[in-house]
Amino acid sequence: MTVAGFTFNAFSENTYLLIDEATQQCAIVDPGCYSAGEQQALRSYIEENNLQVALLLNTHAHIDHVLGNQFVLSTWPGTPFLLHPHDLPTLRAVPSYAGNYGFPQYQPAEPTGELAAGQPVRIGQTELEVRFAPGHAPGHVVFYHEPTATVIGGDVLFQRSIGRTDLPGGDHALLLQSIATELMTLPDATTVYPGHGPATTIGEERRGNPFLQ
């Protein structure tokens, strides 16, 4: 599995493509593309690399991670869209505040399926493990690919930081528990691709993250 990353919107949100090299199928994770230029950047990469969009996945449903959901579904019709059901209220609340955050043209989209802890998610010949990691958002999940020691982590763990918990549904103690049980149990060499900022590793954060000491 290859990971391609893009940074979109005013929140500098990381959108990821998870690419199965054997089949050229890919999953789009947390599309934050809002402007026409951002949307075109994502579409151009997919088209120029002859990728087939197989899945739309949300780690969670805060506005910066879902701005491009409808764009993906309208550009690649029939793409399954999966979200943990505990984050449906988070997703459905976005239209009520999108304008206030500077995104008046936000177009909502509804999931076509659910994510659950332990669920395998397949992209071609690549299989991801869903790990339930609430605290930043009630239905937050991360996607773990053991063969490449890779985690697509959303807003749970960052380089030398952790997700904020002051938004509706946030729970600081629960976030720390999720990090301890779902991320810090992984090998030190595991690369974490977060929802904001640079990639890091489990080992780096185990040794140097001030929020985990």
Side-chain angles (χ1 to χ4, degrees), residues 46-133:
I46 290 169
E47 292 177 349
E48 290 167 6
N49 289 277
N50 299 310
L51 303 179
Q52 176 187 349
V53 177
L55 281 174
L56 168 59
L57 304 172
N58 284 172
T59 60
H60 67 296
H62 288 147
I63 187 169
D64 48 329
H65 292 255
V66 305
L67 287 166
N69 280 346
Q70 183 55 42
F71 166 74
V72 170
L73 297 179
S74 61
T75 304
W76 296 280
T79 301
F81 168 23
L82 307 182
L83 175 75
H84 194 286
H86 286 5
D87 238 41
L88 267 176
T90 309
L91 179 67
R92 290 171 177 166
V94 173
S96 68
Y97 67 83
N100 294 336
Y101 275 68
F103 303 106
Q105 304 303 316
Y106 169 73
Q107 298 293 317
E110 279 288 306
T112 60
E114 297 183 350
L115 296 168
Q119 172 184 342
V121 172
R122 293 180 178 85
I123 312 155
Q125 298 177 17
T126 296
E127 183 174 298
L128 307 172
E129 176 194 350
V130 177
R131 292 187 162 220
F132 184 48

Side-chain angles (χ1 to χ4, degrees), residues 10-27:
F11 292 94
S12 297
E13 182 268 350
N14 292 332
T15 295
Y16 295 106
L17 290 180
L18 311 184
I19 304 166
D20 176 68
E21 298 95 335
T23 63
Q24 292 299 96
Q25 292 188 17
C26 70

Side-chain angles (χ1 to χ4, degrees), residues 2-4 7 16 32-33 46 57 76 118 131 135 161 169 181 193 211:
T2 300
V3 179
T7 301
Y16 295 106
C33 46
I46 290 169
L57 304 172
W76 296 280
R131 292 187 162 220
S161 189
T181 59
Y193 290 95
F211 295 90

